[in-house]
Amino acid sequence: MKVLAVLYNGFKAAIEEPRLLGTVENKLGMDKWLTARGHEFIVTSSKDGPNNEFEKNIVDAEVLITTPFHPGYLTRELMEKAKNLKICITAGVGSDHIDLNAAVDHKIQVLEVSGSNVTSVAEHAVMSMLLLVRNFVPAHEMIERGDWEVSNIARNAFDIEGKVIGTIGAGRIGYRIMQRLLPFNPKELLYYDYHEIPPEAESAVNCKRIGTVEELVSQCDIVTVNCPLHEGTRGMINDRLLSAFKPGAWLVNTARGAICDEHAVSRALASGQLRGYAGDVWNVQPAPKDHPWRTMKNPLDGGNGMVPHYSGTTLDAQARYAAGTKSILENYLDGKPQAHQNVIVGAGKYETTSYGIH
């Protein structure tokens, strides 16, 4: 059968570092294995513009492997052309680049490597909070310029201790973030989620559930976004919701860029309503060179902690999601059952509520 993978280019780095498995060059470590089994394995980074390799090869592929870090956007229109497509595997976590409702209608399975990125992303989120709250980026830029003006940095630097911190979404990643924040001695840990955390898990991190997103953000000094992107969360953090934030709050988003209105966030940062915004996810990836999040600043010329989408693709995470992708594909090829936690769309129906309640 034909297996198509859309991955990101690793260039020289992937040649020098073979553990960069999620790249075109290193092919998730599956090239020889699939070829030995007699399958055709097409790996490309070409996914945008006319005559891209993704759209050309999806027409007769039976298996599609994609990644959240360089997403091949599988629309309903493309599914109509993909007559042989039976299964989509996300090498990582987050399958919002696939039209999941269309996958249900076309009886195309969608699976992802559940849990493969949770530690990596949780660590990145906590790091992002620290670099915003401590005003790290402007401090480092000052050193690079050859300057030394401590007061200009310290006037916008704070401690995490004693702050109210809230997560929108308290699943595998959101909960791990709260676990990692507990030693910083925050004033309160709050969460909003349509699933309630079991009482013993709430007690373990001393967190409290809040009934609405609006109520959550109005109480928090720091807000972290840890929910999937779906119809109910797309554009959720907009001008209206940002106006409910505590003035001068920090916002960290390592979930999906499109959960936030890019222009609303830029305006809130420029006005000082947000003191800082950090994350690694963008509404379009790769992000355009003129994307406002690349250069936006707060009134004190700081508050921007944006980086490329890499929190869930550390070398440790790549080893996990490459192994998980191979396991899912092997189960499919051998007709074995899949691990339930990896299945987003089964045979014509959703198998999870992670992408909204269906």
Side-chain angles (χ1 to χ4, degrees):
M1 67 181 64
K2 183 173 182 177
V3 179
L4 171 63
V6 181
L7 305 175
Y8 61 84
N9 288 317
F11 302 110
K12 182 182 177 183
I15 296 169
E16 295 175 345
E17 178 49 84
R19 290 176 295 176
L20 280 167
L21 293 169
T23 59
V24 169
E25 291 79 3
N26 294 325
K27 302 177 173 62
L28 293 166
M30 298 197 306
D31 191 23
K32 292 179 181 178
W33 172 70
L34 276 172
T35 303
R37 294 186 62 144
H39 303 297
E40 181 184 8
F41 190 30
I42 305 293
V43 183
T44 183
S45 65
S46 170
K47 66 184 185 72
D48 300 311
N51 301 314
N52 67 74
E53 293 298 318
F54 171 41
E55 293 190 17
K56 280 196 284 187
N57 282 283
I58 195 66
V59 174
D60 58 347
E62 182 169 331
V63 178
L64 172 65
I65 299 171
T66 54
T67 171
F69 314 104
H70 184 75
Y73 294 99
L74 184 61
T75 63
R76 182 178 291 273
E77 181 183 8
L78 280 180
M79 285 186 203
E80 298 287 349
K81 300 175 182 177
K83 302 299 183 184
N84 293 342
L85 189 61
K86 300 291 191 301
I87 184 171
C88 300
I89 305 170
T90 298
V93 176
S95 299
D96 47 273
H97 54 283
I98 296 168
D99 186 329
L100 297 176
N101 291 329
V104 170
D105 295 341
H106 286 81
K107 294 183 170 55
I108 297 170
Q109 298 177 65
V110 180
L111 292 92
E112 58 187 43
V113 188
S114 180
S116 62
N117 70 341
V118 292
T119 295
S120 309
V121 177
E123 288 183 1
H124 191 101
V126 174
M127 177 189 73
S128 297
M129 292 179 203
L130 283 166
L131 69 85
L132 286 182
V133 173
R134 299 308 294 256
N135 207 20
F136 176 85
V137 174
H140 181 69
E141 290 171 344
M142 177 182 287
I143 291 300
E144 286 188 321
R145 290 194 306 269
D147 296 337
W148 187 285
E149 193 176 342
V150 173
S151 60
N152 206 35
I153 300 301
R155 68 174 178 170
N156 206 25
F158 299 83
D159 298 338
I160 283 184
E161 184 177 53
K163 301 298 185 289
V164 178
I165 307 174
T167 174
I168 301 173
R172 293 183 181 93
I173 294 172
Y175 187 78
R176 279 170 174 79
I177 290 170
M178 290 192 286
Q179 287 178 313
R180 283 154 177 77
L181 287 171
L182 200 58
F184 287 94
N185 194 27
K187 182 178 181 180
E188 278 189 294
L189 290 175
L190 310 177
Y191 76 95
Y192 168 78
D193 200 306
Y194 50 78
H195 292 302
E196 189 169 2
I197 296 174
E200 63 275 14
E202 276 194 359
S203 178
V205 295
N206 194 27
C207 67
K208 183 171 71 174
R209 188 185 188 199
I210 303 299
T212 67
V213 175
E214 291 80 5
E215 189 181 355
L216 176 89
V217 301
S218 71
Q219 298 181 48
C220 291
D221 301 298
I222 306 168
V223 175
T224 171
V225 182
N226 301 289
C227 56
L229 175 64
H230 53 74
E231 294 97 327
T233 60
R234 184 177 296 274
M236 174 177 63
I237 298 182
N238 52 23
D239 286 313
R240 182 191 60 78
L241 187 60
L242 285 164
S243 69
F245 275 60
K246 289 176 69 171
W250 295 276
L251 176 59
V252 171
N253 180 11
T254 50
R256 285 296 180 266
I259 293 172
C260 295
D261 179 319
E262 62 186 278
H263 298 294
V265 167
S266 298
R267 286 190 292 268
L269 188 62
S271 71
Q273 175 65 9
L274 285 180
R275 195 181 298 272
Y277 181 84
D280 67 322
V281 289
W282 306 71
N283 55 325
V284 178
Q285 295 183 177
K289 291 185 184 296
D290 62 350
H291 197 292
W293 290 357
R294 287 181 180 266
T295 56
M296 62 185 181
K297 297 287 178 69
N298 64 24
L300 296 176
D301 204 33
N304 188 330
M306 291 303 296
V307 295
H309 190 180
Y310 81 100
S311 65
T313 190
T314 61
L315 293 183
D316 298 303
Q318 289 193 43
R320 292 189 293 266
Y321 69 66
T325 300
K326 182 179 178 182
S327 176
I328 291 169
L329 183 53
E330 192 167 29
N331 287 339
Y332 174 74
L333 296 175
D334 295 344
K336 295 178 181 177
Q338 302 285 359
H340 180 73
Q341 69 268 21
N342 292 336
V343 184
I344 307 303
V345 174
K349 65 186 180 74
Y350 281 91
E351 297 290 349
T352 178
T353 59
S354 293
Y355 291 85
I357 299 173
H358 300 275

